[in-house]
Amino acid sequence: MIPVLPRGVRLHWDGVRATHVLLAPERTLMLDEIGHAILSRVDGVTPLSALAAGLAADFDAPIAEVEPDVADFLLGLAKERLVDLNG
Amino acid sequence: MADGARLIPPPIAMLAELTHRCPLSCPYCSNPVDLARREAELSTEDWADVFRQAAGLGVLQVHLSGGEPASRRDLAQIVAAAREAGLYVNLITSGIGLTEERLTEIVAAGVDHIQLSVQGTRAETADRVGGYRGGFAKKMEIAEAIARAGVALTLNAVMHRHNLGELPEVFDLAERLGARRVEIACVQFQGWALENRAVLQPTRAQVDEAKDLVAEARSARAGRLVIDFVPPDYYADLPKACMGGWGSTGLNVAPDGTVLPCHAAQTIPGMRFANFRDLTLEEIWYRGPAFAAFRGTDWMPDPCRSCDRREIDFGGCRCQALAVLGDAAAPDPVCRRTEGRTRLDELLRAEGNAPDLEAARWRRIGG
Ligand code: SF4
Ligand code: SF4
């Protein structure tokens, strides 16, 4: 499964509130550190498993815990068509 | 920033009403009945300045609206200016007045999302409602061009008594056009729509049926089409927070630069509005009297004052209180916890036996 941000959905640094946000049609999601770490790795090329492995390494956490969390997060966004999951 | 200002959050969204001009004449248009003329409109440079100030203030998304934004020949420059300021740019259009060539310019200028409004799904009804023959065919052409350009598309359908029956076709149309979202809004009674309330108000049976159809479509089309549905206020028991609370999340800039807490705020007698040409947006947002008038809970009458929902709906819509009760500072008459509801129920009963579409007053400049 390869996650990708569809057209019209993009990350943005909100300087006024000092936070990362996801901007999308009629939606503004304020992101916490983890949410941003996941979405900033979504590039339309990296498969979910590799993306989770990268996060696990960077955050020094077990991949067995990271991968389901990442999948849940992305599936939730996919339901609202804020992320597309290809393949 | 002044002392009190620290408690006021910065705005997230801005509605930029670029013009009141529009080739259509929908009887439910939310524009004021007294439409601003072209000579009074802000220039391209003014709008660029509005966008920079808005972004500096905390606005993340700008909705370019009207009237019909494509009636402005500088629309592509306006889009580019909004992107340059760092805003997410949402274009709300009827599609009339856009050509594939102009669309290409707008896409190159960086538009993030387009909301295409439809007056119906059949040429006959849609053109009757919009008061513009051939409008529907043009709209479908531009919808296909948007799909070819790959821009995120939402289909907006304003539903009322005379087209609620077409709801299932709206979902089909949205998917056929490659839209990711569809917004079904029942007419909100403001501006021109208020003049035509009796003609447009759907029946309760229609609304119940619509709710079922929406629930069904949501599960059948999950993951493909996101459906936003705004049922008509009058059949609810409790009000919605207008704009997420007066002066708390959004602001509107009218074609002539007047800065408003809500697009219908100008109907409120005695309220004074600042113009962007005279003051900065920051000054207006944090210290403008119109924004302060109904912000928070201090202004509230009974029973809102002591109600457990006072910070959920903030007493509802001020303009609706004005329209139905003649008092903008009254609780929203939708609320069953208030006396005003009696008046609203009387209206619903009186208007239940409503006239046909022919009786509507179509919007026009100098009407
Ligand atoms: S509601 Fe109809 S008349 Fe009003 S601006 Fe929109 S398209 Fe034009
Ligand atoms: S009484 Fe006022 S605050 Fe309470 S629900 Fe009704 S409108 Fe909202």
Side-chain angles (χ1 to χ4, degrees):
Chain A
M1 230 172 12
I2 301 174
V4 58
L5 293 185
R7 280 276 284 274
V9 182
R10 58 187 172 86
L11 288 167
H12 176 77
W13 169 250
D14 178 347
V16 172
R17 297 173 190 80
T19 177
H20 289 283
V21 293
L22 186 68
L23 298 176
E26 297 290 297
R27 293 291 300 274
T28 301
L29 294 187
M30 307 284 164
L31 298 172
D32 58 14
E33 194 196 343
I34 306 287
H36 178 254
I38 298 172
L39 288 173
S40 60
R41 284 171 165 80
V42 168
D43 56 7
V45 184
T46 312
L48 181 75
S49 49
L51 195 151
L55 280 165
D58 284 7
F59 285 83
D60 205 9
I63 178 81
E65 275 171 32
V66 173
E67 192 163 337
D69 283 356
V70 173
D72 270 2
F73 179 75
L74 292 174
L75 279 169
L77 292 176
K79 264 194 205 128
E80 300 179 64
R81 301 233 40 200
L82 299 176
V83 165
D84 281 345
L85 299 171
N86 298 332
Chain B
M1 221 178 276
D3 279 338
R6 231 171 290 139
L7 303 167
I8 301 169
I12 290 179
M14 179 170 81
L15 181 74
E17 294 178 349
L18 301 180
T19 178
H20 280 157
R21 288 176 283 142
C22 178
L24 300 187
S25 50
C26 311
Y28 51 72
C29 183
S30 66
N31 281 171
V33 176
D34 191 9
L35 298 167
R37 286 161 202 276
R38 178 191 208 131
E39 308 78 68
E41 290 177 7
L42 293 183
S43 68
T44 324
E45 258 320 298
D46 289 335
W47 279 114
D49 196 9
V50 170
F51 299 144
R52 282 190 294 267
Q53 288 194 25
L57 194 55
V59 169
L60 296 170
Q61 298 213 3
V62 63
H63 306 288
L64 303 180
S65 163
E68 172 48 55
S71 299
R72 295 247 346 190
R73 259 174 276 151
D74 56 354
L75 180 58
Q77 285 140 274
I78 290 177
V79 169
R83 273 307 294 261
E84 241 160 70
L87 298 171
Y88 182 96
V89 183
N90 178 27
L91 174 66
I92 304 171
T93 176
S94 71
I96 309 295
L98 276 183
T99 57
E100 182 145 18
E101 197 188 339
R102 290 195 71 197
L103 181 73
T104 309
E105 285 171 26
I106 290 163
V107 173
V111 71
D112 285 290
H113 171 224
I114 297 179
Q115 277 177 277
L116 185 70
S117 63
V118 292
Q119 284 72 23
T121 53
R122 299 172 204 152
E124 196 196 334
T125 31
D127 290 351
R128 181 161 168 245
V129 170
Y132 185 96
R133 267 182 69 188
F136 186 76
K138 280 199 185 164
K139 201 184 288 284
M140 291 305 106
E141 273 171 37
I142 206 69
E144 278 158 31
I146 295 170
R148 278 194 294 278
V151 180
L153 172 68
T154 291
L155 203 64
N156 280 14
V158 176
M159 307 304 282
H160 46 80
R161 186 202 303 270
H162 306 279
N163 68 359
L164 253 180
E166 294 177 27
L167 203 48
E169 292 155 60
V170 173
F171 303 138
D172 289 341
L173 181 66
E175 289 211 52
R176 202 160 66 236
L177 296 175
R180 262 184 254 158
R181 291 178 65 252
V182 59
E183 255 183 55
I184 313 285
C186 291
V187 175
Q188 300 289 320
F189 294 106
Q190 282 155 356
W192 286 83
L194 185 60
E195 303 254 318
N196 293 308
R197 184 173 56 204
V199 178
L200 297 169
Q201 186 74 266
T203 64
R204 187 178 283 269
Q206 276 184 313
V207 173
D208 289 343
E209 193 194 332
K211 283 185 186 160
D212 290 346
L213 287 168
V214 166
E216 216 172 89
R218 271 191 187 137
S219 67
R221 300 170 200 251
R224 302 202 309 268
L225 189 66
V226 177
I227 302 173
D228 272 0
F229 177 62
V230 186
D233 266 11
Y234 286 24
Y235 293 113
D237 296 327
L238 292 167
K240 290 196 283 282
C242 178
M243 309 256 318
W246 187 276
S248 73
T249 60
L251 71 164
N252 283 17
V253 181
D256 66 354
T258 309
V259 184
L260 307 167
C262 140
H263 67 275
Q266 277 168 309
T267 58
I268 300 175
M271 190 167 266
R272 287 191 354 267
F273 303 99
N275 193 291
F276 161 78
R277 300 185 214 248
D278 308 319
L279 290 172
T280 62
L281 284 188
E282 179 174 319
E283 182 75 21
I284 297 171
W285 177 259
Y286 287 109
R287 284 178 288 282
F291 282 85
F294 300 115
R295 189 182 259 142
T297 55
D298 286 350
W299 64 275
M300 283 182 172
D302 289 323
C304 298
R305 247 173 200 294
S306 53
C307 177
D308 58 355
R309 282 180 48 91
R310 67 181 179 275
E311 293 195 26
I312 298 170
D313 65 36
F314 295 96
C317 174
R318 300 300 86 234
C319 304
Q320 189 142 276
L322 176 73
V324 175
L325 306 169
D327 177 9
D332 190 322
V334 164
C335 180
R336 293 216 175 267
R337 301 179 184 179
T338 67
E339 283 165 21
R341 180 69 210 198
T342 325
R343 176 78 196 108
L344 191 72
D345 284 331
E346 276 165 22
L347 273 177
L348 278 177
R349 264 196 304 280
E351 291 174 357
N353 196 1
D356 193 38
L357 194 55
E358 305 305 328
R361 186 174 169 221
W362 263 260
R363 62 160 264 179
R364 61 197 159 93
I365 295 204

